[in-house]
Amino acid sequence: MFAQKSISVDKQQQSKDSVYFRDGMRRIDFVLSYIDDKDGEKKQDRRKEFEANLEKAGLELETEDKSESEDGRTYFLKIHVPWEVLATYADVLKIKVPFKTNDITDKKDVPMSWLCTPYRLPEHVMQPEPDYFTATFDKSKIDFFLIEDKETFFPPSTRNRIVYYILSRCPYSKEDKDKKGIKRLLNNGTYAAAFPLHDSRYWTRSRDANCESERYALYKYWARFSRFYKEQPLNLIRKYYGEKIGIYFAWLGFYTEMLTYAAVVGLLCFIYGVASFDENVWSKEICNKTIGGQIVMCPLCDKKCGYWMLSTTCSSSWQSYLFDNTATVFFAIFMGIWVTLFLEFWKRRQARLEYEWDLVDMEEEQQQLQLRPEYETKCTHRRLNRVTQEMEPYLPLTSKFARSVLSGATVLFWISLIIASIIGVIAYRLAVFAAFASIMKDSPTNKLDVVGSLITPQLATSVTASCINFVIIMILNFLYERVAIKITDMEVPKTHVEYENKLTVKMFLFQFVNYYSSCFYVAFFKGKFVGYPGDYAYMFGKWRNEECEPGGCLIELTTQLVIVMVGKQVWGNIQEALVPWLCNWWVSRSARNHPESLYSRWEQDHDLQSFSQLGLFYEYLEMVIQFGFITLFVASFPLAPLLALMNNILEVRVDAWKFTTQFRRPVAAKVHNIGAWNEILNMIAVFSVVTNVSL
């Protein structure tokens, strides 16, 4: 009891909501956590060797005993990187730093700029640091750079990036020097977590005057839904999270802005359909008892289906007209122009960001210097680089070819699984259609009053098949994500950029077939191979091929599109927001009400969700799949851009809230642009012109 009391007193002496060592001078740049198992001698030896090598590399360490932690089991190892190590690795990584204040005036007189005032954020949030001319850091020319204070010269995002570079290459075994890197230690359970610290709690500033409290500023001005109409503080996002996350939010914001124009035009086209509803001649003729009521149609299936009157499709004909009218042609042409302008304007915006954020000549550094630790470990062969005259690891051509063939075969196998599932859904459509047709053939529709008059066998089959198809899509996605990561690891890509590009291509190719194949079937195959009375075409010689309704398959394509697109967006937002919040609530339920002096900054962050290296990959993938829906099949559903716009306004703030409040601070990373997604967007744009013309 006495011991516990003394610990509490010690804790109260200094606020633990601080990003500094106990001396209050050295900044905590990274934190490792671990639990000392009873039978963990091997893990203990690894940690001892790893930490000794970190100290040899120049890092300074401080350990918080488990008795100081909330659960009484977790040790926290705090890491500080001193100036000498920062300078050395800033030189190695060719990090750009300021050498002169920018004295070029950049005052632009924008006409009627006062109109934008409600959407603006304060200048100190939009421009969190002065504008400088920068140059690559050179340790031998320190006097050349604007170094006022060595402790604050490199921002926290740069400091944690340097520490992670060291951690990912530090060996942990005396016997085998190839055993190295924090990633492997996390995988084998030697350490439980590794992360840089947030600089404050998100809802209040830090008590420590030396802490920047940029997290609080991001939450106050950016991560709340009440700020949905405000511009994004991209420079502050970049400063706090790094360029990689900054460019993602810049792209997402630009995409959302451009969606506004498509949504307005799509809504106008839909309003035109509603306004001209009574002028629809062919629907009037179908509904007319003397025209459609006198036309007898052939049975839509064998045995169970009977002859039927054309007038029974009256309701579906009117529904189809809302989306399939004269304005649809105009909208398809408009979207072909919109998608081209979107890509070209984004290239301009991206080029401007590259210049402003010093990323123009960054690609060479990324490719040559930032080798993946896994590549260095697995590639036992060495050869001379003729440019640098240094020995470097490489993967033999035969091994690379074998790995690529195996990877390609795996991707083709999974794509064939999708095609098989689509064929299964088609078989379901054919088998169930006859059942619906026999049930709805006579009196049941009359007894269902209003609802019954809106339901046709085709619509009932289409809705149920779309729901089943959506469930299959989500299950296959869940399984394939894990397979794609494993086969990409097997290929041993050389750099992080190459790794992400390879994974991006695999995942998108799979998702493209998975999400869009059912829409392609309805749009271009259903009703095209049915034969004619007396000589119908059959699937597997058993089920008669599906026919479209007299008004065409467009209304069924609309149904398919709405169910899959909206279902994916709703499920995605639940996954992104609700799941991390519930996990964090459960983990920190006993400690979240503690005062700052008892609930340390490293414990607060440890209780948050880990942001994986592929976290942004899934964010991009979600948006690019949505981009495909609103461009490839937009002629069938002009309201798709409006649904996407409403989702993205929410998405920007959900992602911001998630990064700021629910996830540990990610390790900062530099990227040249949005990577392979540029080419994928271009491919979708070209393909969308073909599909909309065909529709």
Side-chain angles (χ1 to χ4, degrees), residues 88-145:
T88 300
Y89 282 92
D91 198 343
V92 169
L93 295 175
K94 306 299 180 188
I95 291 172
K96 289 190 173 183
V97 293
F99 69 88
K100 183 182 178 182
T101 304
N102 188 352
D103 53 2
I104 300 175
T105 57
D106 186 28
K107 291 185 179 180
K108 298 178 182 178
D109 294 326
V110 180
M112 301 181 72
S113 59
W114 56 271
L115 289 173
C116 299
T117 303
Y119 313 108
R120 300 291 184 203
L121 289 175
E123 186 63 24
H124 72 276
V125 177
M126 291 301 296
Q127 303 292 339
E129 54 189 357
D131 192 15
Y132 295 104
F133 291 114
T134 60
T136 303
F137 186 80
D138 188 339
K139 191 177 178 181
S140 63
K141 301 176 182 177
I142 287 181
D143 294 337
F144 176 69
F145 303 103

Side-chain angles (χ1 to χ4, degrees), residues 330-584:
F330 165 77
F331 187 61
I333 295 170
F334 169 81
M335 287 303 294
I337 298 171
W338 176 88
V339 73
T340 305
L341 292 177
F342 165 72
L343 293 174
E344 291 305 314
F345 286 155
W346 167 245
K347 288 176 185 176
R348 290 167 62 90
R349 179 73 65 90
Q350 187 172 251
R352 182 177 174 180
L353 285 175
E354 286 179 31
Y355 172 74
E356 290 177 351
W357 291 356
D358 278 330
L359 302 173
V360 176
D361 54 353
M362 197 277 301
E363 188 171 12
E364 184 178 354
E365 167 213 333
Q366 186 80 19
Q367 292 292 339
Q368 292 185 358
L369 297 174
Q370 306 246 358
L371 295 178
R372 293 175 67 238
E374 294 85 354
Y375 179 83
E376 295 175 318
T377 302
K378 292 181 180 179
C379 297
T380 55
H381 297 78
R382 296 286 188 274
R383 67 181 175 190
L384 183 68
N385 186 318
R386 295 183 180 179
V387 178
T388 62
Q389 294 299 308
E390 294 180 359
M391 298 299 290
E392 64 178 18
Y394 81 100
L395 197 64
L397 190 61
T398 52
S399 176
K400 186 182 290 187
F401 178 75
R403 292 168 186 266
S404 298
V405 169
L406 183 58
S407 173
T410 307
V411 173
L412 288 175
F413 169 76
W414 278 88
I415 288 177
S416 65
L417 274 184
I418 301 172
I419 295 171
S421 70
I422 294 300
I423 293 172
V425 172
I426 294 171
Y428 164 84
R429 286 172 175 268
L430 300 178
V432 172
F433 175 76
F436 278 123
S438 61
I439 292 171
M440 298 178 178
K441 182 172 62 175
D442 300 314
S443 58
T445 51
N446 298 327
K447 293 178 181 177
L448 289 174
D449 298 326
V450 178
V451 178
S453 65
L454 301 176
I455 296 176
T456 62
Q458 290 98 330
L459 184 60
T461 305
S462 180
V463 170
T464 55
S466 298
C467 293
I468 292 171
N469 184 61
F470 176 70
V471 172
I472 292 172
I473 284 172
M474 301 312 293
I475 292 172
L476 288 175
N477 270 352
F478 177 79
L479 297 173
Y480 181 76
E481 280 178 10
R482 284 142 186 80
V483 173
I485 291 171
K486 285 186 178 180
I487 59 178
T488 306
D489 287 338
M490 180 197 67
E491 290 181 49
V492 198
K494 188 174 182 180
T495 64
H496 291 289
V497 171
E498 186 181 344
Y499 180 89
E500 288 197 10
N501 287 347
K502 283 178 178 290
L503 184 61
T504 298
V505 171
K506 289 183 185 66
M507 283 296 294
F508 180 75
L509 184 61
F510 176 83
Q511 299 266 23
F512 185 90
V513 179
N514 199 15
Y515 278 107
Y516 304 141
S517 53
S518 56
C519 292
F520 272 104
Y521 164 72
V522 175
F524 303 117
F525 295 98
K526 184 180 177 181
K528 305 298 187 294
F529 310 100
V530 296
Y532 52 87
D535 187 20
Y536 287 112
Y538 289 82
M539 183 180 182
F540 305 134
K542 183 177 180 182
W543 295 299
R544 206 172 102 188
N545 287 347
E546 276 188 293
E547 295 186 37
C548 292
E549 293 200 26
C553 277
L554 203 66
I555 191 66
E556 292 186 50
L557 178 58
T558 302
T559 304
Q560 179 79 29
L561 192 66
V562 169
I563 289 175
V564 177
M565 180 180 169
V566 175
K568 184 182 185 305
Q569 290 182 169
V570 171
W571 177 250
N573 284 325
I574 290 173
Q575 266 191 320
E576 287 185 28
L578 192 60
V579 173
W581 180 81
L582 286 173
C583 292
N584 289 335

Side-chain angles (χ1 to χ4, degrees), residues 28-155:
I28 302 171
D29 296 305
F30 227 88
V31 174
L32 307 181
S33 68
Y34 62 90
I35 297 172
D36 201 1
D37 301 324
K38 295 178 181 178
D39 53 347
E41 289 185 15
K42 190 176 287 187
K43 292 179 182 178
Q44 195 171 6
D45 291 340
R46 289 191 201 124
R47 282 194 293 268
K48 188 176 180 180
E49 180 65 21
F50 185 68
E51 289 167 20
N53 287 326
L54 289 178
E55 289 180 326
K56 285 180 185 176
L59 299 182
E60 297 176 4
L61 312 179
E62 183 177 85
T63 303
E64 288 286 329
D65 191 78
K66 64 181 180 181
S67 60
E68 294 279 324
S69 65
E70 177 63 33
D71 59 7
R73 299 168 59 235
T74 307
Y75 291 87
F76 291 95
L77 177 68
K78 299 176 287 185
I79 300 174
H80 169 75
V81 53
W83 168 256
E84 275 301 313
V85 179
L86 281 172
T88 300
Y89 282 92
D91 198 343
V92 169
L93 295 175
K94 306 299 180 188
I95 291 172
K96 289 190 173 183
V97 293
F99 69 88
K100 183 182 178 182
T101 304
N102 188 352
D103 53 2
I104 300 175
T105 57
D106 186 28
K107 291 185 179 180
K108 298 178 182 178
D109 294 326
V110 180
M112 301 181 72
S113 59
W114 56 271
L115 289 173
C116 299
T117 303
Y119 313 108
R120 300 291 184 203
L121 289 175
E123 186 63 24
H124 72 276
V125 177
M126 291 301 296
Q127 303 292 339
E129 54 189 357
D131 192 15
Y132 295 104
F133 291 114
T134 60
T136 303
F137 186 80
D138 188 339
K139 191 177 178 181
S140 63
K141 301 176 182 177
I142 287 181
D143 294 337
F144 176 69
F145 303 103
L146 290 176
I147 305 177
E148 295 179 2
D149 183 354
K150 290 182 177 180
E151 290 302 317
T152 59
F153 180 64
F154 292 104

Side-chain angles (χ1 to χ4, degrees), residues 581-631:
W581 180 81
L582 286 173
C583 292
N584 289 335
W585 176 84
W586 181 256
V587 169
S588 63
R589 62 193 183 282
S590 62
R592 60 181 177 273
N593 294 321
H594 286 191
E596 294 177 2
S597 56
L598 294 177
Y599 195 25
S600 62
R601 164 102 330 265
W602 45 91
E603 285 182 281
Q604 293 171 39
D605 286 9
H606 184 264
D607 287 344
L608 298 177
Q609 294 295 295
S610 174
F611 186 76
S612 71
Q613 188 180 357
L614 297 174
L616 272 188
F617 168 80
Y618 295 112
E619 303 292 347
Y620 275 117
L621 185 62
E622 179 188 1
M623 288 295 103
V624 171
I625 292 295
Q626 182 203 82
F627 180 78
F629 278 124
I630 67 163
T631 53

Side-chain angles (χ1 to χ4, degrees), residues 265-328:
V265 176
L267 182 60
L268 291 175
C269 290
F270 179 75
I271 291 172
Y272 170 82
V274 174
S276 60
F277 197 68
D278 294 332
E279 301 171 12
N280 182 11
V281 177
W282 62 82
S283 293
K284 287 181 179 179
E285 292 179 348
I286 289 173
C287 297
N288 194 310
K289 292 181 180 180
T290 60
I291 302 175
Q294 299 297 318
I295 299 175
V296 181
M297 307 295 289
C298 292
L300 293 172
C301 64
D302 297 333
K303 297 179 182 178
K304 293 183 180 180
C305 299
Y307 293 91
W308 54 284
M309 293 297 177
L310 182 60
S311 58
T312 57
T313 62
C314 176
S315 297
S316 62
S317 175
W318 285 110
Q319 293 163 17
S320 181
Y321 179 78
L322 290 174
F323 305 107
D324 184 12
N325 50 62
T326 309
T328 307

